[in-house]
Amino acid sequence: MECRVLSIQSHVVRGYVGNKSASFPLQVLGFEVDSINSVQFSNHTGYSHWKGQVLTADELHVLYEGIKLNKVHQYDYVLTGYTRDTSFLEMVVDIIQELKRANPNLVYVCDPVLGDHGSMYVPQNLYPVYKNKVVPVADIITPNQFEAELLTGKNITTEKDAVEVMDLLHAMGPDTVVITSSDLPSRLGDRFLVSLGSQRKVRPDGSRTTQRVRMEVHKVDAVFVGTGDLFAAMLLAWTHHYPDDLKMACEKTFSVMHHVIQRTISYAHGEKTHQEVFRHVCFVNGFVDGSVCHKNTSASFITLNSPQTLMCLFNILYVYIIFLCSV
Amino acid sequence: MECRVLSIQSHVVRGYVGNKSATFPLQVLGFEVDSINSVQFSNHTGYAHWKGQVLTAEELNVLYEGIKLNQVNRYDYILTGYSRDSSFLETVVDIIQELKKANPSLVYVCDPVMGDHGAMYVPEYLLPVYRDKVVPLADILTPNQFEAELLTGRKITTEEDALEVMDLLHKLGPETVVLTSTDLPSKRGDQFLVALGSQNIVKADGTKTSQKICMDMPKVDAVFVGTGDLFAAMLLAWTHHHPKDLKAACEKTASVMHHVIRRTMTYANEMAGPGKRPSPAQLELRMVQSKADIENPAVVLEARVL
């Protein structure tokens, strides 16, 4: 498989967020990963302390120039995630537009990291950039419910709302949308959260169809950072292998998440008491302000007092499929 | 295996040198790799063009401070390679000294990159920093012949010279020394180059001695960049698994190199086409494609114990 990904994300010396979260798994799956580090920090901003340096839009451009001058700017995928800087984001858009001219088949996988649970955790001025410039060039996007609502201006209270919002997002650009987490009530009870996906395709006869997917995903009583980045990377990988089967791609992606998280929790439990916050690996989209403690975007609470219950729950992952054909 | 490496090397957006060359293979082998990128360049400097930014000594210190403030400055290994800045190198030394205080069992794997084939390709003033500050802290050293000669002030023209130079290097600090390549004539002919290694060991009766090994490695008609970085990283991994058996560690390390280089040459020649010399872009190591060989290298080279 000769597949080259350009990933423009954060680098942390220690831990797994941004490019650290995305590169190794993609490489393990055989993808060539070129990575531009948008920042270099000691660790993610959920720790008590973090220190480091950021890349400016100009510096990003300089790096891209180097790649271009050597005529090696052919990519099959571009992957982006958490950003705090509008000029940086706009430079990313320019680069992607140029890369798409160089390879019209390029697939841009975009995690539009804006916030969660009703509030933004990036500067507000990023919102119009995502809405008007970034999402229109995206092919696959992985918003959470809040981000999907922000981008479309429509609230989600029912599954029907979610499907409409995904169609609105399709109309903005991307043929594949996965709402990575939502507050919709799960059929399996309050220990589960609902994720949804939608993929627009054109049939051989020219007619259009949309495959919709719904997943009931275990909630976890922990704060993870970097899992959103892992999710987007793995969705890239598995939609690559299953370009016409969002169900399969999502099952693989969510399953990877499950295994990594399970292993992380077991390890963290082995190390600390269940009251402490886990610092190792995984979960949740993006960071929050350096001064504020971590936010848990897609977890709520199950009791951890019974390890057997925890392991049992983790061994179950239900996927429901809803096929809707729209012409 | 819970083994944490701090690797302070270059980052390139595209290709495999420095941290890009070291990180993936170490992670594949189960090591936790914390990486400080000393530079971020578009690609290595063997291409027609290269652009990017360097990290200053001050910025390096700031990153280390972050790690320290969170009290996660405990490492089992440190790995360093190519550096052009003496103040950066001196800050690296300070950091290593502090990390060794935090963990006295820490193993510092150092590639003292200074030059090759008789010429330096870093600023001259790095030599005293390496010789007087860096190498004394190193536990494992991977100089080529030129670097070994520079550090010891002795020329190598025979195998005996090489053994003496390695002993001189032991005296400077490191218990394990591998001369990654030399101009010594190989017993297997001119399609081979000679590499040597020496490891101080304490025998059962308490006496100190060293295990010396020699390897004949097939030459390749191509210029690769990043192979030294891969070598140092894999030597770290295999000496970790074979801490008292330099022969086994070197055989595994050299075998990984062989598989990766073979795969790269085949690909590069295919890409370049018949009769054409491959470009630097085409010669980038086929790292990702070599995952299986990295995980479990078939041993194809034998080291002789001297």
Side-chain angles (χ1 to χ4, degrees), chain A residues 11-24:
Chain A
H11 171 79
V12 285
V13 171
R14 176 199 166 93
Y16 297 97
V17 300
N19 269 335
K20 270 290 215 62
S21 188
S23 297
F24 175 66

Side-chain angles (χ1 to χ4, degrees), chain B residues 8-305:
Chain B
I8 306 175
Q9 304 195 56
S10 313
H11 170 78
V12 284
V13 172
R14 177 203 168 92
Y16 296 98
V17 301
N19 268 335
K20 270 286 218 64
S21 187
T23 303
F24 174 68
L26 282 170
Q27 289 175 318
V28 158
L29 287 169
F31 291 82
E32 281 285 350
V33 182
D34 285 9
S35 48
I36 294 181
N37 297 323
S38 56
V39 310
Q40 177 165 226
F41 287 167
S42 52
N43 42 264
H44 72 67
T45 57
Y47 285 63
H49 309 273
W50 52 276
K51 287 189 181 285
Q53 300 89 27
V54 302
L55 199 70
T56 65
E58 188 47 54
E59 289 168 330
L60 166 61
N61 220 15
V62 162
L63 287 170
Y64 175 66
E65 276 297 297
I67 299 285
K68 205 166 99 165
L69 284 167
N70 290 308
Q71 295 176 310
V72 288
N73 56 332
R74 276 172 303 281
Y75 292 100
D76 302 295
Y77 287 89
I78 303 193
L79 178 60
T80 67
Y82 183 71
S83 198
R84 293 193 68 83
D85 179 340
S86 57
S87 61
F88 191 91
L89 202 48
E90 284 173 330
T91 305
V92 168
V93 168
D94 290 341
I95 289 171
I96 294 172
Q97 279 169 329
E98 203 172 292
L99 289 174
K100 282 200 167 194
K101 283 201 279 274
N103 174 17
S105 308
L106 185 147
V107 173
Y108 171 29
V109 180
C110 170
D111 186 1
V113 182
M114 284 183 284
D116 207 351
H117 301 314
M120 282 186 84
Y121 46 61
V122 303
E124 297 215 336
Y125 49 70
L126 257 64
L127 170 57
V129 184
Y130 271 113
R131 189 190 54 224
D132 303 333
K133 299 191 186 183
V134 179
V135 173
L137 283 179
D139 299 287
I140 298 175
L141 197 71
T142 61
N144 55 36
Q145 173 174 337
F146 174 64
E147 292 156 353
E149 291 174 336
L150 265 186
L151 288 167
T152 56
R154 273 213 47 174
K155 283 253 167 295
I156 294 171
T157 38
T158 64
E159 188 181 277
E160 209 184 66
D161 292 337
L163 300 184
E164 282 176 37
V165 162
M166 289 194 289
D167 280 335
L168 286 171
L169 288 169
H170 283 314
K171 288 207 175 69
L172 283 184
E175 301 281 278
T176 303
V177 176
V178 177
L179 288 182
T180 52
S181 65
T182 68
D183 292 331
L184 295 172
S186 167
K187 296 188 164 91
R188 299 184 60 181
D190 63 5
Q191 292 308 301
F192 290 82
L193 67 85
V194 173
L196 295 117
S198 177
Q199 183 170 61
N200 281 343
I201 43 184
V202 181
K203 293 212 296 227
D205 62 5
T207 55
K208 288 209 225 165
T209 182
S210 69
Q211 182 194 56
K212 297 229 172 12
I213 57 139
C214 179
M215 294 184 60
D216 299 284
M217 318 232 285
K219 284 183 181 169
V220 200
D221 181 22
V223 177
F224 291 111
V225 186
T227 39
D229 304 328
L230 178 60
F231 185 91
M234 293 300 87
L235 190 67
L236 183 160
W238 294 113
T239 52
H240 177 74
H241 290 299
H242 304 285
K244 295 190 169 50
D245 188 350
L246 187 61
K247 176 179 178 321
C250 283
E251 284 171 349
K252 292 254 170 88
T253 306
S255 297
V256 173
M257 302 304 302
H258 168 86
H259 295 303
V260 175
I261 287 170
R262 263 261 300 252
R263 181 171 286 105
T264 305
M265 282 278 4
T266 305
Y267 175 82
N269 286 326
E270 243 173 66
M271 290 286 107
K276 296 225 187 91
R277 287 202 77 86
S279 67
Q282 290 163 339
L283 282 164
E284 290 284 5
L285 296 176
R286 297 296 275 169
M287 195 72 80
V288 157
Q289 297 76 10
S290 300
K291 184 183 70 166
D293 292 319
I294 291 166
E295 276 170 326
N296 196 14
V299 175
V300 293
L301 292 163
E302 215 192 309
R304 288 178 286 122
V305 178

